[in-house]
Amino acid sequence: MSLEFVSLEKIQEFAHHYGYWAIFIGILLENLGIPIPGETVTLIGGFLAGSKELNYWFVLGSAIFGAVLGGIVGYWIGRSTGWEFILRVAGFFRIPAVRLEELKDKFSQNAAQAVFFGRFIALLRIFSGLLAGIAGMSFAQFFVYNLAGAAVWASVMVTLAFFVGQIVSLEQLVSWVGEFAIFALDIAIAWIIVPIWWESRQVKKIASED
């Protein structure tokens, strides 16, 4: 998921100048919740590796390390202060605490899958570590799925850009991957919200019949 005010050209220029550090820092910041288009940074790294400007394995290692470290920091922030902060924000917007508890339980039941597959979903990639900490997922379990998810995600993104970037333009590749991430986000939201909505509807129906 990219930001309109961060142009692809600017990210490419940054990657040209700072190489592996640009990839590591970009992905690290994204996983800390800062809206850096880490997905685009990773694709650019793979593209530059495909053009022999950077080394494929160093690009991959930088992407994995940045994603893992960012996820760990996000996890501990969520574990220490995340839930209290969300409750305060929800109170400001008058969102019932019970609704938040339902969402928290839903995430807890599927935390491992969310951390692993969340790497491929817009926004969830940024907040999965934070949410895992809030949900009380054990650090050992989180570390395993965070590392596995980061490794698979980075491998797919870097390898895709490494090979496909030689066939289609980088702009087109970034657009395709961004569209997929947003589509995956829509599916994830529906998967979480629809069951809660249906259960609430059934409760109201039973109450009205009584």
Side-chain angles (χ1 to χ4, degrees):
M1 185 175 183
S2 61
L3 300 176
E4 292 182 359
F5 60 83
V6 182
S7 68
L8 183 60
E9 292 73 20
K10 287 291 184 182
I11 300 174
Q12 282 182 284
E13 182 181 346
F14 191 75
H16 277 298
H17 282 133
Y18 299 101
Y20 309 111
W21 280 109
I23 298 164
F24 167 73
I25 293 173
I27 298 170
L28 172 65
L29 292 177
E30 183 195 43
N31 280 261
L32 290 176
I34 299 173
I36 300 295
E39 188 175 79
T40 303
V41 171
T42 310
L43 291 171
I44 289 175
F47 181 82
L48 294 177
S51 61
K52 309 302 181 184
E53 185 171 338
L54 296 176
N55 179 278
Y56 171 87
W57 296 107
F58 288 167
V59 169
L60 182 59
S62 299
I64 293 174
F65 188 40
V68 169
L69 183 58
I72 290 174
V73 174
Y75 170 87
W76 285 114
I77 292 174
R79 192 70 181 263
S80 59
T81 62
W83 182 241
E84 290 77 10
F85 176 75
I86 286 178
L87 287 176
R88 286 198 296 270
V89 173
F92 178 79
F93 289 102
R94 298 182 179 179
I95 300 174
V98 64
R99 188 65 65 198
L100 292 178
E101 288 286 354
E102 291 176 355
L103 292 173
K104 181 181 177 182
D105 291 341
K106 184 71 173 179
F107 185 89
S108 299
Q109 294 167 11
N110 303 276
Q113 298 93 317
V115 171
F116 183 86
F117 293 106
R119 291 287 175 186
F120 296 90
I121 301 174
L123 293 182
L124 186 55
R125 180 173 61 255
I126 302 174
F127 297 111
S128 60
L130 182 71
L131 293 172
I134 290 173
M137 184 180 188
S138 73
F139 179 71
Q141 185 184 31
F142 170 76
F143 182 80
V144 170
Y145 283 96
N146 182 48
L147 176 59
V152 172
W153 171 77
S155 297
V156 170
M157 294 296 106
V158 173
T159 303
L160 184 67
F162 184 88
F163 290 107
V164 179
Q166 301 179 40
I167 303 173
V168 302
S169 68
L170 180 60
E171 292 80 0
Q172 184 63 67
L173 182 59
V174 169
S175 176
W176 286 344
V177 172
E179 288 172 3
F180 172 81
I182 293 174
F183 173 74
L185 176 63
D186 292 338
I187 297 297
I189 291 174
W191 179 69
I192 294 173
I193 298 300
V194 169
I196 294 176
W197 170 80
W198 179 255
E199 182 179 346
S200 176
R201 186 169 180 269
Q202 292 299 105
V203 170
K204 291 179 180 178
K205 182 178 180 181
I206 294 173
S208 65
E209 290 175 351
D210 293 340

PDB file of all heavy atoms in Angstrom, residues 15 30 68 71 78 81 87 101 113-114 120 138 169 180-182 185 199 202 206:
ATOM      1  N   ALA A  15      16.544   4.614  -2.775  1.00  0.00           N
ATOM      2  CA  ALA A  15      17.140   3.278  -2.838  1.00  0.00           C
ATOM      3  C   ALA A  15      18.459   3.295  -3.601  1.00  0.00           C
ATOM      4  O   ALA A  15      19.400   2.578  -3.242  1.00  0.00           O
ATOM      5  CB  ALA A  15      16.161   2.302  -3.497  1.00  0.00           C
ATOM      6  N   GLU A  30       7.757   1.070   8.282  1.00  0.00           N
ATOM      7  CA  GLU A  30       6.385   0.679   7.963  1.00  0.00           C
ATOM      8  C   GLU A  30       5.827  -0.243   9.037  1.00  0.00           C
ATOM      9  O   GLU A  30       4.676  -0.102   9.471  1.00  0.00           O
ATOM     10  CB  GLU A  30       6.323  -0.025   6.608  1.00  0.00           C
ATOM     11  CG  GLU A  30       4.887  -0.386   6.222  1.00  0.00           C
ATOM     12  CD  GLU A  30       4.808  -1.387   5.091  1.00  0.00           C
ATOM     13  OE1 GLU A  30       5.580  -2.361   5.106  1.00  0.00           O
ATOM     14  OE2 GLU A  30       3.961  -1.199   4.215  1.00  0.00           O
ATOM     15  N   VAL A  68      10.995  -8.230  10.382  1.00  0.00           N
ATOM     16  CA  VAL A  68      10.987  -8.955  11.659  1.00  0.00           C
ATOM     17  C   VAL A  68      11.194  -8.001  12.827  1.00  0.00           C
ATOM     18  O   VAL A  68      10.449  -8.032  13.818  1.00  0.00           O
ATOM     19  CB  VAL A  68      12.076 -10.050  11.667  1.00  0.00           C
ATOM     20  CG1 VAL A  68      12.246 -10.624  13.073  1.00  0.00           C
ATOM     21  CG2 VAL A  68      11.721 -11.162  10.689  1.00  0.00           C
ATOM     22  N   GLY A  71       8.193  -5.734  13.368  1.00  0.00           N
ATOM     23  CA  GLY A  71       7.088  -6.488  13.946  1.00  0.00           C
ATOM     24  C   GLY A  71       7.273  -6.720  15.439  1.00  0.00           C
ATOM     25  O   GLY A  71       6.322  -6.627  16.217  1.00  0.00           O
ATOM     26  N   GLY A  78       2.234  -2.983  21.584  1.00  0.00           N
ATOM     27  CA  GLY A  78       0.864  -3.456  21.781  1.00  0.00           C
ATOM     28  C   GLY A  78       0.696  -4.178  23.100  1.00  0.00           C
ATOM     29  O   GLY A  78      -0.327  -4.036  23.783  1.00  0.00           O
ATOM     30  N   THR A  81       1.114  -1.096  26.087  1.00  0.00           N
ATOM     31  CA  THR A  81       0.191   0.044  26.201  1.00  0.00           C
ATOM     32  C   THR A  81      -0.910   0.075  25.145  1.00  0.00           C
ATOM     33  O   THR A  81      -1.789   0.941  25.200  1.00  0.00           O
ATOM     34  CB  THR A  81       0.965   1.372  26.090  1.00  0.00           C
ATOM     35  OG1 THR A  81       1.603   1.444  24.793  1.00  0.00           O
ATOM     36  CG2 THR A  81       2.033   1.483  27.163  1.00  0.00           C
ATOM     37  N   LEU A  87      -8.723   1.702  23.934  1.00  0.00           N
ATOM     38  CA  LEU A  87      -9.927   1.961  24.726  1.00  0.00           C
ATOM     39  C   LEU A  87     -10.190   3.460  24.864  1.00  0.00           C
ATOM     40  O   LEU A  87     -11.337   3.908  24.800  1.00  0.00           O
ATOM     41  CB  LEU A  87      -9.796   1.313  26.103  1.00  0.00           C
ATOM     42  CG  LEU A  87      -9.912  -0.211  26.163  1.00  0.00           C
ATOM     43  CD1 LEU A  87      -9.675  -0.706  27.577  1.00  0.00           C
ATOM     44  CD2 LEU A  87     -11.269  -0.680  25.636  1.00  0.00           C
ATOM     45  N   GLU A 101     -13.969  -5.776  22.473  1.00  0.00           N
ATOM     46  CA  GLU A 101     -13.637  -7.076  23.047  1.00  0.00           C
ATOM     47  C   GLU A 101     -13.947  -8.200  22.052  1.00  0.00           C
ATOM     48  O   GLU A 101     -13.195  -9.169  21.943  1.00  0.00           O
ATOM     49  CB  GLU A 101     -14.426  -7.308  24.341  1.00  0.00           C
ATOM     50  CG  GLU A 101     -13.973  -6.464  25.520  1.00  0.00           C
ATOM     51  CD  GLU A 101     -12.649  -6.939  26.109  1.00  0.00           C
ATOM     52  OE1 GLU A 101     -12.144  -7.992  25.664  1.00  0.00           O
ATOM     53  OE2 GLU A 101     -12.134  -6.252  26.997  1.00  0.00           O
ATOM     54  N   GLN A 113      -2.487 -16.990  12.136  1.00  0.00           N
ATOM     55  CA  GLN A 113      -2.762 -16.796  10.712  1.00  0.00           C
ATOM     56  C   GLN A 113      -2.682 -15.325  10.332  1.00  0.00           C
ATOM     57  O   GLN A 113      -2.193 -14.982   9.253  1.00  0.00           O
ATOM     58  CB  GLN A 113      -4.147 -17.353  10.354  1.00  0.00           C
ATOM     59  CG  GLN A 113      -4.305 -18.848  10.581  1.00  0.00           C
ATOM     60  CD  GLN A 113      -4.880 -19.171  11.946  1.00  0.00           C
ATOM     61  OE1 GLN A 113      -4.482 -18.566  12.948  1.00  0.00           O
ATOM     62  NE2 GLN A 113      -5.803 -20.120  12.000  1.00  0.00           N
ATOM     63  N   ALA A 114      -3.176 -14.455  11.227  1.00  0.00           N
ATOM     64  CA  ALA A 114      -3.164 -13.019  10.934  1.00  0.00           C
ATOM     65  C   ALA A 114      -1.736 -12.492  10.836  1.00  0.00           C
ATOM     66  O   ALA A 114      -1.427 -11.681   9.962  1.00  0.00           O
ATOM     67  CB  ALA A 114      -3.932 -12.263  12.018  1.00  0.00           C
ATOM     68  N   PHE A 120       0.715  -9.950   3.572  1.00  0.00           N
ATOM     69  CA  PHE A 120       0.260  -9.731   2.199  1.00  0.00           C
ATOM     70  C   PHE A 120      -0.988  -8.853   2.131  1.00  0.00           C
ATOM     71  O   PHE A 120      -1.553  -8.675   1.058  1.00  0.00           O
ATOM     72  CB  PHE A 120      -0.037 -11.081   1.527  1.00  0.00           C
ATOM     73  CG  PHE A 120       1.177 -11.950   1.367  1.00  0.00           C
ATOM     74  CD1 PHE A 120       1.545 -12.848   2.367  1.00  0.00           C
ATOM     75  CD2 PHE A 120       1.973 -11.864   0.236  1.00  0.00           C
ATOM     76  CE1 PHE A 120       2.675 -13.640   2.230  1.00  0.00           C
ATOM     77  CE2 PHE A 120       3.097 -12.653   0.094  1.00  0.00           C
ATOM     78  CZ  PHE A 120       3.453 -13.544   1.093  1.00  0.00           C
ATOM     79  N   SER A 138       1.475 -15.115  22.774  1.00  0.00           N
ATOM     80  CA  SER A 138       2.775 -15.336  23.407  1.00  0.00           C
ATOM     81  C   SER A 138       3.892 -14.874  22.471  1.00  0.00           C
ATOM     82  O   SER A 138       3.773 -15.010  21.245  1.00  0.00           O
ATOM     83  CB  SER A 138       2.968 -16.810  23.748  1.00  0.00           C
ATOM     84  OG  SER A 138       3.199 -17.579  22.581  1.00  0.00           O
ATOM     85  N   SER A 169       6.947  -3.006 -16.580  1.00  0.00           N
ATOM     86  CA  SER A 169       7.523  -1.830 -15.927  1.00  0.00           C
ATOM     87  C   SER A 169       7.353  -1.932 -14.416  1.00  0.00           C
ATOM     88  O   SER A 169       6.422  -2.585 -13.915  1.00  0.00           O
ATOM     89  CB  SER A 169       6.847  -0.555 -16.435  1.00  0.00           C
ATOM     90  OG  SER A 169       5.503  -0.502 -16.002  1.00  0.00           O
ATOM     91  N   PHE A 180      -3.694  -6.014  -5.311  1.00  0.00           N
ATOM     92  CA  PHE A 180      -3.894  -7.304  -4.635  1.00  0.00           C
ATOM     93  C   PHE A 180      -3.968  -7.119  -3.122  1.00  0.00           C
ATOM     94  O   PHE A 180      -4.812  -7.716  -2.445  1.00  0.00           O
ATOM     95  CB  PHE A 180      -2.758  -8.270  -4.981  1.00  0.00           C
ATOM     96  CG  PHE A 180      -2.793  -9.543  -4.171  1.00  0.00           C
ATOM     97  CD1 PHE A 180      -3.637 -10.574  -4.535  1.00  0.00           C
ATOM     98  CD2 PHE A 180      -2.002  -9.690  -3.032  1.00  0.00           C
ATOM     99  CE1 PHE A 180      -3.695 -11.746  -3.781  1.00  0.00           C
ATOM    100  CE2 PHE A 180      -2.051 -10.851  -2.281  1.00  0.00           C
ATOM    101  CZ  PHE A 180      -2.895 -11.883  -2.654  1.00  0.00           C
ATOM    102  N   ALA A 181      -3.087  -6.279  -2.563  1.00  0.00           N
ATOM    103  CA  ALA A 181      -3.059  -6.043  -1.117  1.00  0.00           C
ATOM    104  C   ALA A 181      -4.364  -5.422  -0.633  1.00  0.00           C
ATOM    105  O   ALA A 181      -4.880  -5.774   0.434  1.00  0.00           O
ATOM    106  CB  ALA A 181      -1.877  -5.149  -0.753  1.00  0.00           C
ATOM    107  N   ILE A 182      -4.925  -4.507  -1.408  1.00  0.00           N
ATOM    108  CA  ILE A 182      -6.187  -3.867  -1.034  1.00  0.00           C
ATOM    109  C   ILE A 182      -7.350  -4.858  -1.151  1.00  0.00           C
ATOM    110  O   ILE A 182      -8.247  -4.887  -0.307  1.00  0.00           O
ATOM    111  CB  ILE A 182      -6.436  -2.626  -1.911  1.00  0.00           C
ATOM    112  CG1 ILE A 182      -5.390  -1.546  -1.593  1.00  0.00           C
ATOM    113  CG2 ILE A 182      -7.846  -2.081  -1.681  1.00  0.00           C
ATOM    114  CD1 ILE A 182      -5.441  -0.345  -2.489  1.00  0.00           C
ATOM    115  N   LEU A 185      -7.268  -6.981   1.787  1.00  0.00           N
ATOM    116  CA  LEU A 185      -7.780  -6.247   2.942  1.00  0.00           C
ATOM    117  C   LEU A 185      -9.298  -6.284   2.976  1.00  0.00           C
ATOM    118  O   LEU A 185      -9.901  -6.476   4.034  1.00  0.00           O
ATOM    119  CB  LEU A 185      -7.288  -4.801   2.900  1.00  0.00           C
ATOM    120  CG  LEU A 185      -7.823  -3.868   3.997  1.00  0.00           C
ATOM    121  CD1 LEU A 185      -7.372  -4.345   5.375  1.00  0.00           C
ATOM    122  CD2 LEU A 185      -7.372  -2.431   3.750  1.00  0.00           C
ATOM    123  N   GLU A 199     -24.145 -12.349  13.909  1.00  0.00           N
ATOM    124  CA  GLU A 199     -24.444 -12.764  15.277  1.00  0.00           C
ATOM    125  C   GLU A 199     -25.269 -11.704  15.993  1.00  0.00           C
ATOM    126  O   GLU A 199     -26.235 -12.019  16.701  1.00  0.00           O
ATOM    127  CB  GLU A 199     -23.139 -13.015  16.044  1.00  0.00           C
ATOM    128  CG  GLU A 199     -23.362 -13.504  17.471  1.00  0.00           C
ATOM    129  CD  GLU A 199     -22.059 -13.756  18.188  1.00  0.00           C
ATOM    130  OE1 GLU A 199     -21.004 -13.805  17.524  1.00  0.00           O
ATOM    131  OE2 GLU A 199     -22.094 -13.911  19.427  1.00  0.00           O
ATOM    132  N   GLN A 202     -28.815 -11.876  14.764  1.00  0.00           N
ATOM    133  CA  GLN A 202     -29.554 -13.012  15.300  1.00  0.00           C
ATOM    134  C   GLN A 202     -29.983 -12.759  16.739  1.00  0.00           C
ATOM    135  O   GLN A 202     -31.084 -13.125  17.145  1.00  0.00           O
ATOM    136  CB  GLN A 202     -28.687 -14.275  15.239  1.00  0.00           C
ATOM    137  CG  GLN A 202     -28.401 -14.760  13.822  1.00  0.00           C
ATOM    138  CD  GLN A 202     -29.671 -15.120  13.070  1.00  0.00           C
ATOM    139  OE1 GLN A 202     -30.125 -14.384  12.193  1.00  0.00           O
ATOM    140  NE2 GLN A 202     -30.255 -16.248  13.415  1.00  0.00           N
ATOM    141  N   ILE A 206     -33.836 -12.751  18.115  1.00  0.00           N
ATOM    142  CA  ILE A 206     -34.323 -13.572  19.215  1.00  0.00           C
ATOM    143  C   ILE A 206     -34.955 -12.708  20.295  1.00  0.00           C
ATOM    144  O   ILE A 206     -36.008 -13.041  20.857  1.00  0.00           O
ATOM    145  CB  ILE A 206     -33.160 -14.410  19.811  1.00  0.00           C
ATOM    146  CG1 ILE A 206     -32.676 -15.424  18.775  1.00  0.00           C
ATOM    147  CG2 ILE A 206     -33.591 -15.092  21.077  1.00  0.00           C
ATOM    148  CD1 ILE A 206     -31.431 -16.184  19.192  1.00  0.00           C
TER     149      ILE A 206
END
